[in-house]
Amino acid sequence: MSVSASASDGAAPTAPSAPAPADLQPAPAVRAGRLQGVLGTARGAGALWRAAAAVGMALVITALLILLAGKNPLVAYYHLAMGAFGGWDRVVVGLNKTTPYLLCAVGIALCFRGRVINIGAEGQLAIGGAAASAVALFAAGLPAWLLLPLALLAGAAGGAAWAGVAATIRVTRGVHEVLVTLLLNFVALLLIAELLHGRMGEEGAGFPQSPLFDAAAWLPKLVPGTDLHGGIALAVAAALGANYLLWRTTLGFRWRVVGASLPAARYAGVSQGRAVFGLMGTAGALAGLAGAIECLGVHYRLIEGFSAGFGFNAVAIALMGALNPLYVLPSALFFGFLETGALAMQRQVGVPSSLVLVIQGLTMIFVLCGIGRTGHDRT
């Protein structure tokens, strides 16, 4: 605070003045930070409202289809809900189904944020499951405290390595990752079939599968006496960690810069090639971990075709979650419990369980329409 005086007329100094109103206000940087936080929260809330509206419209249209089939949609949706939440055992099934969706979708959300279109989560999941199964089978003599972490790490490493193949082709040869990751899915499935018809296959089995793992390699139950394995805890931790990585670290900022503007990234010295490798490796590791969890916590063996559908549904889940790792969590739960209640709806009402695919597809159409409309409004 200053003492004011008039130099021209010799007036006596006035008393110390009270703090100016500007002194009581936050600094411009603080105000800008608060404004950015408010805007970010508003955008996140808008994404959640778009997803909720998309789900509601999908359910309404599907209800009309159920009416055309001569069934009562209210009864059908009641049994759908009871099949998903009608008992603790149904909730357990829903959470177990959510786990691979959540892990794969979080990785895809990270990739899409960095402008890397990863469509290969299904193949990465399959390779991760095969790598974890190989450790569980060929290192069976190890104690559980060592065997299980090694198997999970092998699954994550296998998925990351498989994603690294696509990243290498993308960076060194310039082939778009959509094409590479899509084709590598089929290669991964063929590799799994070859392994199960070879050394890793169970002799005399009527279906291509590996022998049952030793109990030391089984994923422990999160709640004793139930089928709920610890994979859901790993998946939620991965979502929280990915959210922190994306929004609170320098690496996440670099990925977002690459996704927002390649010229700006080049000007700032951010390497697009490194971003591609980092994003694909992270997504592949998460998908590989999902494959390991499926093999070690659900099937207790490697089964041909166990990865079918996870990767492509994960793309829809990531988009429905606005490519935000935190918002991907409720989106994955929606898909997991929707599939859990589908069979109950078909069994009790006679409505085909394939209508769940209609609900998922319509939801994605409306979500994408909302995203496109929002982008149009901003231009």
Side-chain angles (χ1 to χ4, degrees):
M1 293 183 294
S2 60
V3 178
S4 62
S6 175
S8 59
D9 56 9
T14 61
S17 59
D23 297 336
L24 298 178
Q25 298 177 1
V30 176
R31 293 198 299 270
R34 290 178 179 175
L35 178 60
Q36 184 178 5
V38 171
L39 292 176
T41 302
R43 285 194 295 268
L48 291 178
W49 277 113
R50 285 198 302 270
V55 171
M57 288 187 289
L59 291 175
V60 169
I61 294 178
T62 307
L64 296 177
L65 296 177
I66 295 174
L67 278 175
L68 291 176
K71 306 293 182 180
N72 188 330
L74 295 179
V75 174
Y77 286 157
Y78 169 78
H79 287 289
L80 177 69
M82 292 302 296
F85 304 103
W88 174 243
D89 59 329
R90 307 311 303 161
V91 173
V92 166
V93 173
L95 291 175
N96 286 343
K97 282 184 174 291
T98 298
T99 299
Y101 283 149
L102 179 56
L103 286 168
C104 292
V106 166
I108 290 174
L110 291 177
C111 284
F112 283 18
R113 281 281 180 179
R115 199 182 290 186
V116 177
I117 312 302
N118 177 19
I119 312 295
E122 184 167 323
Q124 295 151 20
L125 185 147
I127 295 298
S133 300
V135 172
L137 289 173
F138 301 131
L142 296 177
W145 63 268
L146 181 59
L147 179 61
L148 182 60
L150 281 178
L152 292 174
L153 287 175
W162 196 250
V165 174
T168 301
I169 297 175
R170 168 68 176 86
V171 173
T172 61
R173 307 304 299 175
V175 182
H176 200 282
E177 64 274 6
V178 170
L179 179 62
V180 178
T181 54
L182 183 62
L183 294 179
L184 283 177
N185 286 335
F186 299 101
V187 177
L189 297 180
L190 291 174
L191 286 176
I192 300 301
E194 183 66 22
L195 289 173
L196 291 178
H197 286 89
R199 189 178 177 186
M200 290 182 64
E202 182 180 19
E203 295 183 4
F207 187 82
Q209 62 184 20
S210 73
L212 196 67
F213 303 150
D214 286 349
W218 294 8
L219 200 65
K221 303 303 180 185
L222 192 62
V223 178
T226 70
D227 291 331
L228 181 62
H229 56 66
I232 186 64
L234 294 176
V236 172
L240 295 176
N243 186 75
Y244 181 85
L245 174 66
L246 183 64
W247 301 108
R248 301 293 183 181
T249 66
T250 303
L251 180 61
F253 176 74
R254 290 175 179 171
W255 290 350
R256 287 187 284 122
V257 169
V258 170
S261 173
L262 285 178
R266 295 190 188 100
Y267 182 80
V270 179
S271 170
Q272 183 189 11
R274 291 182 180 178
V276 171
F277 275 106
L279 289 165
M280 289 292 290
T282 302
L286 291 173
L289 179 61
I293 290 172
E294 280 295 292
C295 292
L296 303 175
V298 178
H299 305 296
Y300 308 118
R301 65 172 84 229
L302 179 64
I303 300 176
E304 185 177 12
F306 81 97
S307 62
F310 285 122
F312 293 106
N313 284 342
V315 174
I317 292 170
L319 291 172
M320 186 175 171
L323 305 182
N324 187 315
L326 285 185
Y327 299 156
V328 166
L329 176 56
S331 179
L333 287 169
F334 170 73
F335 270 65
F337 281 99
L338 189 64
E339 292 186 2
T340 302
L343 291 179
M345 182 177 64
Q346 177 177 343
R347 185 173 56 251
Q348 298 294 332
V349 187
V351 174
S353 60
S354 57
L355 275 178
V356 166
L357 301 179
V358 175
I359 296 174
Q360 294 174 349
L362 289 173
T363 300
M364 282 317 307
I365 290 174
F366 291 129
V367 167
L368 292 175
C369 288
I371 293 174
R373 181 60 185 172
T374 302
H376 176 74
D377 293 341
R378 290 176 180 175
T379 57

